[in-house]
Amino acid sequence: MIEFKNATKKYGDRLVLDNLSLTIEGGSWTWLTGASGAGKTTLIHALIGAIRISDGQIFVDGYNLTRFDGKALQEYRRKIGIVFQDYKLLPNKTVYENVAFAMEVCGYSDRQIAERVPQLLAVVGLADARHHFPHMLSGGEKQRTAIARALIHEPRLIIADEPTGNLDPDTAEGIVKLFQKLHTEGATVIFATHNTHLIDNFKKRRIHIEAGRVLET
Ligand SMILES: Nc1ncnc2c1ncn2[C@@H]1O[C@H](COP(=O)(O)OP(=O)(O)OP(=O)(O)O)[C@@H](O)[C@H]1O
Ligand SMILES: [Mg+2]
């Protein structure tokens, strides 16, 4: 379960999150919407421990994100899967190596990597593209590589910040389907998007941020 308690984030005089309180249940799906600059990425960054809020508290499954030291943060990050709009792939590594490298950095053994990477690439439908470099991939394939990488720790919580923002409508649908599959298997999903079409096709809770506050639909 995720809990924001009076979370406030200021950048200088700019109040981006204004005393925001909200609860997200484990196993749920939440769309996160709001105009450009509304604070979606700020909320997500706070939730993944990339920034600290100015006031209030955020709890995720017993972790207090407002009181983090480096070690607790590292442990927490291994429980969540994060996907961004711009993929963040390493250009000099193949699809396989991008996922393998993320596991290597996290201390997995060669044997674990050799076993797990092909499984993950099969999940996202990229087994055949495993030796391709990012510049050879379509946007959807790049994003699926990034999703495979986000799944290395089998996260129960998946946080995606406009993962379909650079993709055409059909490819975007495919990415949502992939997230839906993970959600069906039990993952909590938080999905920020501007795409109302995606939201209309999968009716779930929608948290809309406006002027630093949360409006629900
Ligand atoms: N590091 C920063 N320093 C100062 N202001 C910032 C910083 N990061 C974000 N902001 C400001 O906070 C506000 C919210 O930005 P944020 O990136 O969270 O919006 P967003 O809802 O994700 O928008 P988009 O849909 O364009 O991605 C914006 O006004 C932005 O300029
Ligand atoms: Mg954003």
Side-chain angles (χ1 to χ4, degrees), residues 69-79:
D69 58 26
K71 196 156 171 260
L73 185 60
Q74 198 178 32
E75 186 188 303
Y76 168 69
R77 286 266 182 82
R78 287 187 182 199
K79 301 198 183 221

Side-chain angles (χ1 to χ4, degrees), residues 82-91 98 134-135 137-150 161-168 171 175:
I82 310 169
V83 181
F84 294 103
Q85 177 173 355
D86 59 355
Y87 325 123
K88 299 193 194 298
L89 300 178
L90 299 169
N98 263 279
H135 76 268
L137 302 174
S138 69
E141 289 166 341
K142 284 183 204 164
Q143 191 55 292
R144 283 187 279 140
T145 306
I147 294 169
R149 186 185 52 192
D161 192 357
E162 296 195 49
T164 60
N166 287 331
L167 305 175
D168 67 72
T171 311
I175 295 295

Side-chain angles (χ1 to χ4, degrees), residues 49 60 124 134-135 176 182 184 192 197 213:
V60 182
V124 299
H135 76 268
V176 172
L182 301 165
T184 308
H197 188 69
R213 294 186 173 258

Side-chain angles (χ1 to χ4, degrees), residues 11 14 16 34-43 161-162 194:
Y11 285 114
R14 171 111 170 71
V16 181
S36 183
K40 302 178 295 296
T41 296
T42 303
L43 186 147
D161 192 357
E162 296 195 49
H194 287 285

